[in-house]
Amino acid sequence: MALNLKPFALAVTALAVASTAQAVESRRGNDTLKKYCTGDYLSYCGNLAPDDPATDACFKTNWKKLSENCRRAIDAYTPTPAEKSGKRG
C-alpha cells in the first residue's frame, strides 16, 4: 500500500504561505494591495520593512517587473488621511 503524502504536502505548503503572509503585515495599504502585491514585495523588496518609505521607491524602481494585478492595485490605491500625513498607528 503506497503512502499518500499529497494532503500533508498541501498542508505544509498552506502553512508556509500563511506564515510568509504574516511576515509581510503592514499598517499601510489595504487588503487589495496585500493580496496582489505580497509576492512582488517578497521578490523585489523583501529586504525592506513593509512600512519603510524605501519600499515605495523599490516598487517604483521595479514597476515594469511587477505583476499586472499588483500594478493595477497600486494605481487604484488611495491612501488614508493618516497615511498621507505620515502618521503611523
Side-chain angles (χ1 to χ4, degrees), residues 20-29 34 37-38 40-42 44-59 88:
T20 300
Q22 252 182 349
V24 180
E25 282 300 313
S26 172
R27 293 182 180 171
R28 298 174 63 212
K34 291 173 186 171
C37 295
T38 297
D40 294 299
Y41 164 77
L42 293 172
Y44 305 113
C45 308
N47 61 320
L48 302 167
D51 291 326
D52 188 335
T55 302
D56 295 344
C58 179
F59 270 82
R88 312 264 167 122

Side-chain angles (χ1 to χ4, degrees), residues 27-85:
R27 293 182 180 171
R28 298 174 63 212
N30 60 23
D31 289 339
T32 303
L33 282 173
K34 291 173 186 171
K35 177 179 179 180
Y36 292 113
C37 295
T38 297
D40 294 299
Y41 164 77
L42 293 172
S43 294
Y44 305 113
C45 308
N47 61 320
L48 302 167
D51 291 326
D52 188 335
T55 302
D56 295 344
C58 179
F59 270 82
K60 286 179 185 176
T61 299
N62 292 290
W63 183 257
K64 291 184 179 183
K65 297 178 189 175
L66 300 179
S67 67
E68 180 67 24
N69 285 335
C70 180
R71 290 195 308 258
R72 286 181 182 176
I74 291 170
D75 285 341
Y77 177 65
T78 304
T80 64
E83 289 172 332
K84 286 181 184 177
S85 68

